[in-house]
Amino acid sequence: VTPQLIIHGGAGVAPGDLSAEEERGARAALQEALLRGQAILKAGKSAQEAVVAAIVVLEDSPYFNAGRGAVFTHEGRNELDASLMLGNGQRAGAVAGVRRVKNPITLAQAVMEQSPHVMLTGQGAETFAKEKGLPLVEPDWFRTEKRWQQLQRRLAEEAGKQAARSDEAEYRRYVG
Amino acid sequence: TVGAVAIDAQGHLAAGTSTGGMTNKRWNRVGDSPVIGAGTWADSRCAVSGTGWGEFYIRSAAAHNICARVAHRGESAAQAGGKVINEEIVALGGDGGALVMTADGGYAFPFNTPGMYRGWVSVDGTPQVAIYASETLQGDV
């Protein structure tokens, strides 16, 4: 079998959603992620390494909802989740709700390789990341103005709906 | 959400997914991305990374479900991915997409939204990238 890599940067994008600059930036980041993974496969390294390398590129790009460029919670924070799984032996690692880990996919990898667990969450996951020496960043690293404005629009919409339909269940408003 | 699936020279598969979740999420909501079997799965025959409305991917065990269809029904990446992403999840009321790769080198990009950022490269090929549904990338479902 020929080594190969496929990637995604999220579904749901529609024509007209992106400025010309955003579209160029997203395409360039996708291309870079593919080339980074390809170089690893070309060197005879593992699928795991190619997957992590490609995802790190996309996490560091402001054009996708992961790492830098992540969307905001209701409270105005970025909370990041990631997971990694290997077909050979079905080893797996995952993290949820981390706020300061620069590349959550590398923390998922550390959970898989350096702990007996599969998933760590929140503060505990961040403590584990610190103990393992993974890069931590200030929360502002993840912030982009576009995502912040998306949250402000959602909050404004929500406030309008609450005023009009205050008896509607919170869960229904959440899922739309 | 971003994700990647690869097969290496030893024929081993791997899958990974990373996300910021949903805008305006509350109560420490967690979607499918970190949930093994929902947003990410890999075994000896198949690997998947999902992107979409996480609650539906969790309820349908989407990533594992796709690979189970490959393993037990002999379906291709496109058949299994299309069935779960474009039929089962849509029937439940969800939407999104996925990457699917099988141990024979087959791969697919099933999605049911107006677009999905996606790309493919082989070890010695030229990277191919697409965003919108109107662009055709080999493997689109």
Side-chain angles (χ1 to χ4, degrees), chain B residues 56-129:
Chain B
F56 294 91
Y57 281 62
I58 294 171
R59 288 162 58 190
S60 62
H64 179 266
N65 192 354
I66 290 169
C67 288
R69 298 183 74 95
V70 170
H72 302 305
R73 300 189 184 197
E75 293 182 354
S76 67
Q79 289 170 327
K83 185 72 182 175
V84 174
I85 301 298
N86 294 339
E87 294 185 32
E88 292 185 15
I89 284 180
V90 170
L92 289 172
D95 61 5
L99 308 172
V100 186
M101 185 175 282
T102 50
D104 62 2
Y107 63 89
F109 302 98
F111 63 101
N112 53 60
T113 54
M116 180 171 81
Y117 298 100
R118 58 202 188 278
W120 165 92
V121 72
S122 70
V123 69
D124 51 6
T126 302
Q128 308 291 317
V129 167

Side-chain angles (χ1 to χ4, degrees), chain A residues 3-13 23 27 38 42 47 59 65 72 74 79 81-83 85 87 119 158 170 174, chain B residues 1 3 5 7-8 13 15 17-21 24-27 33-34 40 49 105 115 117 119-123 125 135:
Chain A
Q4 53 189 337
L5 168 70
I6 53 177
I7 62 173
H8 71 72
V13 60
E23 185 172 325
R27 288 182 190 277
Q38 183 189 47
K42 197 174 281 189
E59 285 180 337
N65 175 23
F72 284 89
H74 181 77
E79 288 183 355
D81 310 329
S83 64
M85 187 168 188
M119 183 186 284
E158 193 175 71
E170 183 68 25
Y174 170 65
Chain B
T1 306
V5 172
I7 188 166
D8 59 30
L13 291 155
T17 310
S18 182
T19 192
N24 199 31
K25 66 181 179 182
R26 302 179 73 179
W27 307 298
S33 294
T40 303
S49 170
Y117 298 100
W120 165 92
V121 72
S122 70
V123 69
E135 301 172 81

Side-chain angles (χ1 to χ4, degrees), chain A residues 56-139:
Chain A
V56 164
V57 171
L58 300 176
E59 285 180 337
D60 287 345
S61 166
Y63 299 105
F64 307 104
N65 175 23
R68 190 168 171 233
V71 299
F72 284 89
T73 67
H74 181 77
E75 294 80 14
R77 293 191 290 254
N78 302 114
E79 288 183 355
L80 311 171
D81 310 329
S83 64
L84 177 69
M85 187 168 188
L86 309 185
N88 181 30
Q90 292 183 221
R91 298 172 67 203
V95 294
V98 296
R99 297 176 186 167
R100 296 193 56 204
V101 178
K102 181 172 181 285
N103 292 110
I105 191 66
T106 63
L107 180 55
Q109 182 179 26
V111 170
M112 181 184 77
E113 293 178 336
Q114 301 179 53
S115 89
H117 310 300
V118 169
M119 183 186 284
L120 302 180
T121 69
Q123 185 59 51
E126 300 213 344
T127 300
F128 179 81
K130 192 173 180 182
E131 287 181 4
K132 299 304 176 187
L134 296 184
L136 302 179
V137 292
E138 291 302 315

Side-chain angles (χ1 to χ4, degrees), chain A residues 39-53:
Chain A
I40 286 170
L41 293 174
K42 197 174 281 189
K45 296 182 179 177
S46 69
Q48 171 190 338
E49 291 170 281
V51 162
V52 171

